[in-house]
Amino acid sequence: MSRFLFGQRLAMKITSRHLREGYNGLFKSQLLTTNLIKHKNQIQTGIPNITNVALDAVPTTGNLTLRYDAVVRQDLSGLYGDIRKCLSETQATLVPITQYYFDGEGKAIRPVITMCLAKAINYHLNVTSPYAFCLFCFHLIIYVIDYITICSFNKIRSVVEKQKKVAQIVEMIHTASLVHDDVIDAADSRRNKSSVNMVWGQKKSVVAGDFIVGRSLELSAKIQNQEVINLIAKIVSDLVSGELMQLDGSANAEERFQHYMEKTFKKTASLIANGCQAVSVLAGANSTVQTVAFQFGRQLGMTFQLVDDMLDFVSTSAQLGKPAAADLRLGLATAPVLFAAQKFPELNQLILRRFNKPGDVETAFDLVHRSDGLEKTKELAGQYCDDAVTQLAQLSPSPYQQVLFTLTHELLDRLK
């Protein structure tokens, strides 16, 4: 009996400081769940088509506007601060260069996806948040609580903290790739401000990108999970391979589209796919759930790039944060161009010489708009979106799952 009472007092002491925050978190979660109830049938009765996941799934309740990232905002609130701190431990001249793109102005969409998917899988596997767990323990405390409760709490908190670290690593590797891309492309702007290479020059920018990658690999080692380390290393390997594929223009007309799709996976989708699988590994998921996580990230990542490739032809420079038709000016043949070449074979010669003659960019731009290349690109992006939803629907219904449904829909909706 004395051990039982001791367990009660110990658990009460540990949980008391979290109760207010736990109730607040639960209350917000209940608000979200209540407002998403009208979409319950979409989740539970089958796989919702992406065009049927309504935008009003992002509800407003009283003064609380629940954006799609609201359910993981607490987890990511210190994201950029943590990254800047991580990058400050180096030579003083390198610090402002490495921190330049981590100014909090980015959408942080990849960390949001990673953490939403992590929480959806945790929910699927009954790994809840530390605060919800504390609240649960409080209600059971009058029955059975001992030191196992403390161990369980710490284990769950550890899982979520490690998943947050993966989200941070994903953002760091992505941003490092932007630094290197800007050097390779000799870009003069990024996110409506001067690019890092324009401010500090190419040599220092290359070193800064390398340092960001190095620090991200250090962080992955601290997670102390060999499978996660391997997945992070695969992201870096794929990024390098994808960049080399993009620089290689030797593919013939028959191989060109497959070459483009493989390059797109390695440069864009691998980051999201392997990041999503990494958080599922940390949650203790089996191979089936890990495959769901990877395939969801892959399909969503492919959609990302297809949408961006299409927006390069239909959006203004202000909307893109970079010059319109930038890919053509860099000599890149993306999906709209490759589809257009099926109707206008003369594009193949322009593709081979990477649009380097006067008037090539303008000609290609015109032929794309005269063809069905944009429509076919949008259709392909829609197929990948539907595939992403198919994967996501295999997880248990949760607010996090619904947020990812909505986010996926909003991604495709950018093309409207």
Side-chain angles (χ1 to χ4, degrees), residues 1 34 65 80 87 89 142 226 254 263 308 346 354 375 389 415:
M1 179 62 72
T34 300
T65 300
Y80 287 114
L87 297 175
E89 300 170 4
I142 60 174
Q226 189 59 51
E254 290 73 29
K263 179 272 300 180
D308 274 354
E346 58 265 38
R354 301 180 76 89
E375 288 75 14
V389 169
L415 297 179

mmCIF file of all heavy atoms in Angstrom, residues 1 34 65 80 87 89 142 226 254 263 308 346 354 375 389 415:
data_model
loop_
_atom_site.group_PDB
_atom_site.id
_atom_site.type_symbol
_atom_site.label_atom_id
_atom_site.label_comp_id
_atom_site.label_asym_id
_atom_site.label_seq_id
_atom_site.Cartn_x
_atom_site.Cartn_y
_atom_site.Cartn_z
ATOM 1 N N MET A 1 0.834 -1.206 0.000
ATOM 2 C CA MET A 1 0.000 0.000 0.000
ATOM 3 C C MET A 1 0.874 1.263 0.000
ATOM 4 O O MET A 1 0.584 2.241 -0.668
ATOM 5 C CB MET A 1 -0.932 -0.005 1.213
ATOM 6 C CG MET A 1 -1.823 1.249 1.310
ATOM 7 S SD MET A 1 -2.931 1.414 -0.125
ATOM 8 C CE MET A 1 -4.065 0.063 0.248
ATOM 9 N N THR A 34 -13.975 18.775 -33.549
ATOM 10 C CA THR A 34 -15.383 19.140 -33.719
ATOM 11 C C THR A 34 -15.627 19.784 -35.064
ATOM 12 O O THR A 34 -16.607 19.474 -35.754
ATOM 13 C CB THR A 34 -15.817 20.109 -32.595
ATOM 14 O OG1 THR A 34 -15.637 19.461 -31.358
ATOM 15 C CG2 THR A 34 -17.272 20.517 -32.778
ATOM 16 N N THR A 65 -8.315 30.881 -35.324
ATOM 17 C CA THR A 65 -8.249 30.461 -36.708
ATOM 18 C C THR A 65 -7.247 29.321 -36.818
ATOM 19 O O THR A 65 -6.075 29.493 -36.534
ATOM 20 C CB THR A 65 -7.816 31.625 -37.613
ATOM 21 O OG1 THR A 65 -8.765 32.678 -37.477
ATOM 22 C CG2 THR A 65 -7.761 31.189 -39.069
ATOM 23 N N TYR A 80 13.258 27.704 -36.403
ATOM 24 C CA TYR A 80 14.311 28.537 -36.984
ATOM 25 C C TYR A 80 15.317 28.988 -35.927
ATOM 26 O O TYR A 80 16.513 29.116 -36.213
ATOM 27 C CB TYR A 80 13.698 29.732 -37.708
ATOM 28 C CG TYR A 80 13.041 29.349 -39.014
ATOM 29 C CD1 TYR A 80 11.669 29.460 -39.193
ATOM 30 C CD2 TYR A 80 13.795 28.846 -40.072
ATOM 31 C CE1 TYR A 80 11.066 29.094 -40.387
ATOM 32 C CE2 TYR A 80 13.204 28.475 -41.267
ATOM 33 C CZ TYR A 80 11.838 28.600 -41.418
ATOM 34 O OH TYR A 80 11.244 28.228 -42.596
ATOM 35 N N LEU A 87 23.731 26.575 -36.196
ATOM 36 C CA LEU A 87 24.670 27.073 -37.204
ATOM 37 C C LEU A 87 25.581 28.181 -36.683
ATOM 38 O O LEU A 87 26.442 28.666 -37.413
ATOM 39 C CB LEU A 87 23.890 27.588 -38.421
ATOM 40 C CG LEU A 87 23.068 26.535 -39.170
ATOM 41 C CD1 LEU A 87 22.246 27.191 -40.274
ATOM 42 C CD2 LEU A 87 23.964 25.442 -39.741
ATOM 43 N N GLU A 89 27.656 27.840 -34.194
ATOM 44 C CA GLU A 89 28.866 27.258 -33.601
ATOM 45 C C GLU A 89 29.924 27.011 -34.675
ATOM 46 O O GLU A 89 30.261 25.876 -35.008
ATOM 47 C CB GLU A 89 28.505 25.973 -32.868
ATOM 48 C CG GLU A 89 27.497 26.186 -31.735
ATOM 49 C CD GLU A 89 26.959 24.882 -31.172
ATOM 50 O OE1 GLU A 89 27.427 23.811 -31.622
ATOM 51 O OE2 GLU A 89 26.092 24.940 -30.295
ATOM 52 N N ILE A 142 -5.825 7.340 -9.453
ATOM 53 C CA ILE A 142 -6.458 6.780 -8.267
ATOM 54 C C ILE A 142 -6.494 5.262 -8.323
ATOM 55 O O ILE A 142 -6.865 4.625 -7.348
ATOM 56 C CB ILE A 142 -7.895 7.322 -8.098
ATOM 57 C CG1 ILE A 142 -8.748 6.970 -9.309
ATOM 58 C CG2 ILE A 142 -7.889 8.814 -7.879
ATOM 59 C CD1 ILE A 142 -10.218 7.354 -9.146
ATOM 60 N N GLN A 226 20.253 4.040 -36.182
ATOM 61 C CA GLN A 226 21.005 3.792 -37.408
ATOM 62 C C GLN A 226 20.124 3.845 -38.647
ATOM 63 O O GLN A 226 20.550 4.330 -39.715
ATOM 64 C CB GLN A 226 21.708 2.432 -37.334
ATOM 65 C CG GLN A 226 22.679 2.194 -38.481
ATOM 66 C CD GLN A 226 23.780 3.240 -38.541
ATOM 67 O OE1 GLN A 226 24.452 3.517 -37.543
ATOM 68 N NE2 GLN A 226 23.972 3.841 -39.709
ATOM 69 N N GLU A 254 13.482 9.668 -76.348
ATOM 70 C CA GLU A 254 12.729 8.556 -75.760
ATOM 71 C C GLU A 254 12.998 8.417 -74.261
ATOM 72 O O GLU A 254 12.119 8.029 -73.487
ATOM 73 C CB GLU A 254 13.096 7.239 -76.463
ATOM 74 C CG GLU A 254 12.602 7.114 -77.894
ATOM 75 C CD GLU A 254 13.372 7.997 -78.859
ATOM 76 O OE1 GLU A 254 14.570 8.270 -78.583
ATOM 77 O OE2 GLU A 254 12.776 8.434 -79.857
ATOM 78 N N LYS A 263 15.041 12.341 -61.948
ATOM 79 C CA LYS A 263 15.714 13.518 -61.393
ATOM 80 C C LYS A 263 14.815 14.241 -60.409
ATOM 81 O O LYS A 263 15.265 14.694 -59.335
ATOM 82 C CB LYS A 263 16.112 14.454 -62.536
ATOM 83 C CG LYS A 263 16.814 15.741 -62.112
ATOM 84 C CD LYS A 263 15.870 16.898 -61.798
ATOM 85 C CE LYS A 263 15.007 17.289 -62.970
ATOM 86 N NZ LYS A 263 14.094 18.425 -62.626
ATOM 87 N N ASP A 308 5.351 23.306 -59.245
ATOM 88 C CA ASP A 308 6.324 24.387 -59.438
ATOM 89 C C ASP A 308 6.708 24.537 -60.905
ATOM 90 O O ASP A 308 6.858 25.654 -61.411
ATOM 91 C CB ASP A 308 7.577 24.124 -58.609
ATOM 92 C CG ASP A 308 7.457 24.635 -57.183
ATOM 93 O OD1 ASP A 308 6.443 25.294 -56.881
ATOM 94 O OD2 ASP A 308 8.353 24.361 -56.372
ATOM 95 N N GLU A 346 9.717 20.144 -82.974
ATOM 96 C CA GLU A 346 10.812 21.090 -83.139
ATOM 97 C C GLU A 346 11.390 21.544 -81.797
ATOM 98 O O GLU A 346 12.504 22.091 -81.732
ATOM 99 C CB GLU A 346 10.356 22.310 -83.955
ATOM 100 C CG GLU A 346 9.179 23.077 -83.373
ATOM 101 C CD GLU A 346 7.830 22.632 -83.960
ATOM 102 O OE1 GLU A 346 7.678 21.412 -84.199
ATOM 103 O OE2 GLU A 346 6.974 23.498 -84.169
ATOM 104 N N ARG A 354 19.690 23.296 -74.990
ATOM 105 C CA ARG A 354 19.363 23.911 -73.695
ATOM 106 C C ARG A 354 18.943 25.376 -73.842
ATOM 107 O O ARG A 354 19.278 26.224 -73.025
ATOM 108 C CB ARG A 354 20.546 23.776 -72.719
ATOM 109 C CG ARG A 354 20.933 22.326 -72.459
ATOM 110 C CD ARG A 354 22.100 22.203 -71.507
ATOM 111 N NE ARG A 354 21.712 22.446 -70.134
ATOM 112 C CZ ARG A 354 21.273 21.498 -69.285
ATOM 113 N NH1 ARG A 354 21.150 20.243 -69.704
ATOM 114 N NH2 ARG A 354 20.949 21.814 -68.054
ATOM 115 N N GLU A 375 -1.847 21.383 -69.413
ATOM 116 C CA GLU A 375 -2.974 20.550 -68.970
ATOM 117 C C GLU A 375 -2.494 19.151 -68.565
ATOM 118 O O GLU A 375 -2.937 18.594 -67.554
ATOM 119 C CB GLU A 375 -4.027 20.437 -70.078
ATOM 120 C CG GLU A 375 -4.824 21.709 -70.332
ATOM 121 C CD GLU A 375 -4.024 22.777 -71.086
ATOM 122 O OE1 GLU A 375 -2.950 22.437 -71.644
ATOM 123 O OE2 GLU A 375 -4.461 23.934 -71.100
ATOM 124 N N VAL A 389 -3.069 10.782 -51.296
ATOM 125 C CA VAL A 389 -4.265 10.624 -50.470
ATOM 126 C C VAL A 389 -4.561 9.150 -50.230
ATOM 127 O O VAL A 389 -4.961 8.753 -49.126
ATOM 128 C CB VAL A 389 -5.466 11.332 -51.133
ATOM 129 C CG1 VAL A 389 -6.775 10.961 -50.441
ATOM 130 C CG2 VAL A 389 -5.265 12.847 -51.087
ATOM 131 N N LEU A 415 -2.763 25.714 -58.645
ATOM 132 C CA LEU A 415 -2.791 25.778 -60.113
ATOM 133 C C LEU A 415 -4.068 26.409 -60.639
ATOM 134 O O LEU A 415 -4.198 26.616 -61.837
ATOM 135 C CB LEU A 415 -2.649 24.362 -60.699
ATOM 136 C CG LEU A 415 -1.333 23.660 -60.381
ATOM 137 C CD1 LEU A 415 -1.320 22.268 -60.994
ATOM 138 C CD2 LEU A 415 -0.155 24.468 -60.898
#
